[in-house]
Amino acid sequence: MSEDLIGAGTGTGDDPALGVPGAPLARVAAVLGATVVGAGRGAGAVTVGGVIIAEPGDALGDLTGVLVLTAGVRGADAADQVGAAAGAGAAAVAVRVDTTGVPVAADEVPAAVRQCAERAGVPVLAVAAGLRWDQVETAVRGELARAAAAERGGGPRGDLYALAQTVASLTRGLVSVEDTGHRVLAYAGSADEADEPRRRSILERACAEPCLSHMREWGVYRRVRDGDEVVDVAARPELGLRRRLVVGIHAGPRPLGTLWLQEGDRPLADRSDQVLRGAARLAAPQLVDHYYLGDPDGRLRSREDLAHGLLTGRFNASALAVHLGIAPTSGASVVAVDLREEPDAGDAARRDARLAEAAGMVSVHAAAYRRNALVAQACGQIYVMLPEPADRAPAERPLLRWTNDLVTVLRGHTRTPVQAVVAGTAADLADIPVVKLRGHHGLEILARTPHRAVETHDRLVSPLMVREVLDVLDRHGGVRHPGLEALAAHDAAHGTELARSLLRYLDAFGEVGVVAKELSVHPNTLRYRVRKAVALAGLDLDDPEHRLAAMLGLRLMNRGSGAENGAPFFPH
């Protein structure tokens, strides 16, 4: 191999994989069925940002961050190549060794190679001698592309690797995307759990012919070409084949490819078939670009921007509908989702990444539920827009079921108390921002009760009405009840809880036993507090207007203390 060729692929301008954090060496090893020796425990933290094939005698330039494949030698004869690559700064060196199986056993690596690796402080990737270096290089570049996709961030962005990772996270399986020529375009999932047909497809970047023959014989490809049926392919242990689900990716009647899901060491998650169907719909525009050499990243980011414009009302809704492939006369149901992550839980970049990952999961579920669903982020929340035909009223019960399923999935993956509000249906697309605002306000109300996962805007109308009344009173600072202000001042001066006790008493319709238990006081103590509060504030609780004024006034003062409807009531 020429010196010029060795130099290519090590500069950031020539190798698009460089300049990113890189692919973990441990993952590369798992994909190849290789083992890592040398460099001690630190080998597990090594990443590679590029890959080259080098032969004995090649002049090696700066190989910082590069995995070097030692061509022309194998076993103990590769020791000198290991030392030369280490001297050039290589991140790791791959050596082919004779082995009895895959993965390669550490004791099958010649002692000369292990000793050289330890002296040079460079990890050695021991690869089965039966693998060709071009196969290894292809697999490594696939991992570099996967790592680059992960660095850009998951979520509904148009990157097939990011979409594959989202599906793998949701289903607990191993995912791959193939075009109609059975070439592997993207993949995700634990390499350690891959069966032999999948391992070969990743290494060769194409489905292996024996597996193809079986799938054709079983009628799998015929079934996925005919529609969006998710085909369940049973495990065939005698063929080394684990269970798989597969669905076709289509643009109208035209097949574009297939989306595969292999079962790993654990059973696939419930509703994995629905996840797969939604992901196939999201993958279709990207495969269109694959065939017609378009710009999937740019086009799908533009679609996200348009969806955000529809949500916020920045652009003409009818014009946006044309670009988004939605009938301009459509309405749309809106679902608002909040992850409820703690504000101080990590830095802003981490929160943004988690939100993007969650938005990707929401996109997959939404696409499975409704083909033309749109997902956008706003105000640190996620909004789903589900276009509805103008002549058909949406069914609330299925939408509630879907929203509950979605929140259950998100809670499981984010480990946060995710909540969602079914905000309602906009009569036409131009009204979506109004409905979005209902969802936003509904989430603020729902935050008071973390145990409630999902609510509808209609069921939150009462607290929302009270909130609007309080907003009006808040804007008119002169509307205050002097007796209640005197009551709050008394509590602050004497460390009592008369105001809080009075509001809880009014909220509970005078049920002394319930409120006394809540406040951990004797019922007679509560009665005394209420009598004293009424006397200090000058209230007549037999008068309904006095009761209403007291409830609104106390809530307004509680809001000013920063704890609307919650304890502690007032600072004291």
Side-chain angles (χ1 to χ4, degrees), residues 433-453:
V434 175
V435 182
K436 177 261 181 187
L437 196 59
R438 290 183 200 160
H440 180 70
H441 289 160
L443 285 171
E444 290 179 332
I445 296 295
L446 200 56
R448 303 173 185 171
T449 50
H451 63 280
R452 295 161 69 188

Side-chain angles (χ1 to χ4, degrees), residues 196-216:
E196 188 56 28
R198 175 180 168 86
R199 187 185 300 279
R200 286 192 59 185
S201 73
I202 300 303
L203 282 173
E204 299 172 9
R205 303 298 284 177
C207 185
E209 185 55 43
C211 188
L212 273 176
S213 298
H214 288 306
M215 295 300 169
R216 292 189 186 109

Side-chain angles (χ1 to χ4, degrees), residues 112-368:
V113 172
R114 292 201 304 269
Q115 291 165 5
C116 182
E118 289 165 1
R119 283 196 305 269
V122 65
V124 166
L125 194 66
V127 179
L131 284 178
R132 301 191 312 270
W133 282 129
D134 62 325
Q135 292 177 317
V136 174
E137 182 184 29
T138 299
V140 174
R141 290 195 180 278
E143 283 303 313
L144 293 173
R146 184 179 180 277
E151 173 65 14
R152 288 195 297 272
R157 285 202 37 179
D159 191 305
L160 284 173
Y161 275 95
L163 180 61
Q165 184 58 56
T166 296
V167 176
S169 298
L170 288 169
T171 61
R172 300 196 295 261
L174 289 72
V175 181
S176 58
V177 183
E178 297 180 8
D179 63 14
T180 51
H182 310 298
R183 291 183 295 269
V184 176
L185 304 178
Y187 56 92
S190 172
D192 295 333
E193 301 177 21
D195 60 18
E196 188 56 28
R198 175 180 168 86
R199 187 185 300 279
R200 286 192 59 185
S201 73
I202 300 303
L203 282 173
E204 299 172 9
R205 303 298 284 177
C207 185
E209 185 55 43
C211 188
L212 273 176
S213 298
H214 288 306
M215 295 300 169
R216 292 189 186 109
E217 178 186 343
W218 299 333
V220 173
Y221 284 111
R222 175 184 53 78
R223 291 170 67 184
V224 298
R225 278 198 307 269
D226 292 342
D228 63 355
E229 175 191 6
V230 177
V231 179
D232 195 329
V233 182
R236 302 292 178 99
E238 71 278 11
L239 300 175
L241 194 73
R242 289 187 170 186
R243 179 191 175 210
R244 280 164 165 72
L245 300 181
V246 56
V247 66
I249 303 171
H250 300 86
R254 174 173 178 171
L256 299 174
T258 47
L259 183 59
W260 293 84
L261 177 64
Q262 181 218 296
E263 189 169 71
D265 294 342
R266 297 178 296 166
L268 296 174
D270 293 341
R271 300 187 178 86
S272 287
D273 56 338
Q274 296 179 24
V275 171
L276 212 60
R277 187 177 292 112
R281 292 172 179 175
L282 292 177
Q286 300 164 60
L287 287 191
V288 169
D289 285 305
H290 166 70
Y291 287 108
Y292 295 105
L293 302 180
D295 178 9
D297 264 6
R299 185 159 65 82
L300 291 188
R301 276 199 300 273
S302 175
R303 180 177 174 86
E304 289 176 28
D305 291 341
L306 293 176
H308 187 270
L310 194 62
L311 182 71
T312 57
R314 285 189 292 131
F315 306 119
N316 179 273
S318 297
L320 285 179
V322 173
H323 287 289
L324 293 168
I326 303 170
T329 57
S330 297
S333 296
V334 178
V335 177
V337 180
D338 196 311
L339 300 186
R340 300 302 189 206
E341 189 169 22
E342 292 294 330
D344 59 348
D347 56 24
R350 177 181 176 276
R351 291 196 301 273
D352 288 346
R354 283 171 62 84
L355 188 64
E357 180 186 22
M361 294 178 177
V362 173
S363 294
V364 170
H365 278 272

